[in-house]
Amino acid sequence: MTSDSAARSVVYAARVAVTAVEPREGDHYVLSLRESRIAAAARPGQFINLIQPDSQMMLRRPFSIHRVAGDTVCALVKVVGHGTRVFRGCKPGELIDVMGPIGNGFDIEGEPVPAFIVGGGTGAAVLPFLAERLVRQGRQVTAFAGFEHDVPLDMQLRPDGMNELTELAAIGADSLVATMQPRDGCCTGFVTDLLAERLKARRNAALVLACGPRPMLERVAELAAEAGIPCQVSMEERMGCGIGACAGCACRILVDGQPAYKRVCVDGPVFNAADVIW
Amino acid sequence: MEPGKVNLEVDLAGVKLANPVVIASGTFGFGEEFSRIHDFDRRSPGAIVLKGITLEPRLGNPPPRVAETPSGMLNSIGLQNPGVDAFVEKILPNLRDLGPRLIAIIAGHSFDEYARVAETISNSDNANVLSALEVNISCPNVKRGGMAFGSQPETAAKAVANVRNATQLPVIAKLTPAAPDITAVAQACIEAGADIISLINTLPGMVIDTRTRRPLLGNRVGGLSGPAIRPIAVLLVHRVYLAARETGTPIIGMGGITCADDALQFIIAGASAVGVGTALFRNYSVCTEIVAGLRNRLAEEHIENLADIVGALRETPLH
């Protein structure tokens, strides 16, 4: 996962056309852009780093790769400030600068054992692309998606009256949705409570992969450790260069048992949960 | 005049650069990171200043370490680096064929630390990979040394003298805009043996998260860079140029440079070369663009040598 080859892999940079900005629930939207080299090279858990060259943005904004379709790459974005507002206002055909794919991504090589994948808030952006690649390997996949209230991914009703993520159902992956505020068809409460239940009930999950807010990741790591299951978490930090040069996006990680700061952009964003110093 | 005929070569106290663009320390790692980018032109700058080096390895400051600010960026990395021994043994040998001139920059907590880092680098088998040593007496993100030394002429001179006495390489003193009298600091550094002056380092600043009422950066305080500080930098470069002109000491001017026109402001103010840092994060081709832009602009004005307009500021007309 933190092998040199992954960290040294090629990053493509280009000025490309936005192909679509599709609104989602709440303040979310899906930003699509066409860059065939990035689309071809991308692996789940990697990110793209974007800037609108005519804007007042000084730094690029990193987004997990949400979906790859042909030569198109998508990001799921929530409006939280200047940069995310600028991208929401992009019209199809408008040019933005993209760099990617960046980072190590989830390590999903090896035995195709069943996987639990967990996404919280905009961290749920990784679920469709990750599920697709896991299913393609012949893995059994169960996804857990947690949100405050707004769900930025399409949902459909299952026969049991609960919601599932439409895109994941289409590829044969199970999914459950939790929201903090009560909502029809969604479990109320923390997504990690759902995960805890399933980890207790089912012993066959052999890999846990998660992306979301830090407290969620910490709880996922704890649950996976209790269950004795390997767990990888995708960390987030404010970034400067996004290419490994500035050491701005530091995250405390154990290296040979000693605390060290690793760079989220190129040493991560995915780390072994057991190595993260929470 | 053909843009290709313009001579952009720079002679910084014997250090010859193919063009005046110098990548500023801390924004380019140890020289290789940007090479991850598929079409990055590693020969685009005239020189690269590597990441700051201290005697012992340093973990750096707690995150968050960066924040975007209006027309700028606040950073507090805290000189995260593997220490001088790892630098000379593991990093320097790999940089031999990087292309542009390489400059190492030394940070220290104590006067002695500056001397020992300079000595270790200069005595190493790979010292000839480097073209100069820069003395960072201007880092706002460490508790001792750094900006505290660079704020006063006496302490700045002592740090520079310690490096001067420990190396045969040309010495660059990097100044802080937080010094009450930056021209006095510059003069003291030159008297202490600095061959080149570079300025400005970042300005100390703070961003507060009003929800948590806490500073946004883990270290509370960070260094402000980017176009927000450019007018301050241009003015201070000009003042130092006027104060040091008689000594002939060349200046590397920096602070918020994003394009050839920005670079020209510094050159006209008195800088022989220009530093680029934060702009790289937005535009990784910025060095290539500045070099091309300078060529075009000088050709347009029929100026054959870049050196001819260093310090060529005209007085404002009287009305």
Side-chain angles (χ1 to χ4, degrees), chain A residues 58 60 99 241 243, chain B residues 23-24 27-28 34 37 40 44 257-258 276-287:
Chain A
M58 295 304 301
R60 290 167 183 264
M99 220 181 246
C241 69
I243 201 76
Chain B
I23 293 182
T27 60
F28 208 67
F34 271 78
I37 301 169
F40 182 76
S44 53
I257 294 175
T258 66
V276 175
T278 307
L280 270 169
F281 299 171
R282 229 188 111 103
N283 174 11
Y284 70 97
S285 304
V286 66
C287 299

Side-chain angles (χ1 to χ4, degrees), chain A residues 83-250:
Chain A
T84 48
R85 243 191 313 274
V86 167
F87 295 131
R88 186 177 59 180
C90 285
K91 302 277 175 279
E94 191 170 328
L95 298 178
I96 61 172
D97 286 347
V98 59
M99 220 181 246
I102 310 176
N104 56 0
F106 290 104
D107 180 3
I108 55 172
E109 299 301 312
E111 285 294 294
V113 293
F116 279 0
I117 60 176
V118 190
T122 45
V126 301
L127 296 177
F129 187 35
L130 179 57
E132 182 219 309
R133 293 297 160 99
L134 291 169
V135 167
R136 195 193 280 182
Q137 294 175 322
R139 290 181 196 254
Q140 191 186 333
V141 176
T142 308
F144 302 83
F147 305 96
E148 181 60 34
H149 178 267
D150 299 322
V151 178
L153 302 169
D154 289 338
M155 296 189 290
Q156 62 186 32
L157 265 185
R158 298 193 311 195
D160 67 359
M162 297 305 286
N163 280 324
E164 61 182 351
L165 300 174
T166 311
E167 259 180 283
L168 269 64
I171 57 168
D174 287 333
S175 55
L176 290 158
V177 182
T179 51
M180 295 306 291
Q181 296 171 41
R183 199 175 152 143
D184 284 350
C186 298
C187 305
T188 305
F190 288 111
V191 68
T192 45
D193 291 344
L194 271 185
L195 175 71
E197 258 172 52
R198 290 301 172 109
L199 279 172
K200 265 187 206 136
R202 254 172 66 170
R203 297 253 162 257
N204 69 344
L207 181 61
V208 175
L209 308 171
C211 181
R214 199 178 172 96
M216 184 203 93
L217 295 179
E218 184 175 2
R219 181 69 183 136
V220 170
E222 199 175 82
L223 292 169
E226 281 167 13
I229 299 171
C231 176
Q232 299 169 27
V233 290
S234 178
M235 305 299 288
E236 190 176 28
E237 192 47 75
R238 283 170 184 271
M239 277 182 198
C241 69
I243 201 76
C246 77
C249 55

Side-chain angles (χ1 to χ4, degrees), chain A residues 7-14 37 51-61 82 97 99 237-241 243-248 250-252 259-261 263 266, chain B residues 26-30 32-34 36-39 51 59-73 77 80 216-217 225-227 258 278 280-284:
Chain A
R8 293 277 160 196
S9 58
V10 173
V11 172
Y12 297 100
R37 298 170 303 172
I51 192 161
Q52 213 298 357
D54 299 325
S55 71
Q56 295 296 310
M57 295 168 70
M58 295 304 301
L59 299 173
R60 290 167 183 264
R61 302 293 194 271
H82 174 62
D97 286 347
M99 220 181 246
E237 192 47 75
R238 283 170 184 271
M239 277 182 198
C241 69
I243 201 76
C246 77
C251 174
R252 280 201 111 183
Y261 283 119
R263 299 161 297 184
V266 293
Chain B
T27 60
F28 208 67
F30 287 110
E32 295 186 299
E33 286 78 1
F34 271 78
R36 285 190 177 91
I37 301 169
H38 177 244
D39 59 350
K51 187 149 176 46
L59 284 178
N61 286 335
R65 290 176 170 184
V66 294
E68 187 178 276
T69 58
S71 295
M73 165 188 175
I77 310 300
Q80 179 174 347
L216 202 143
L217 295 187
S225 62
T258 66
T278 307
L280 270 169
F281 299 171
R282 229 188 111 103
N283 174 11
Y284 70 97

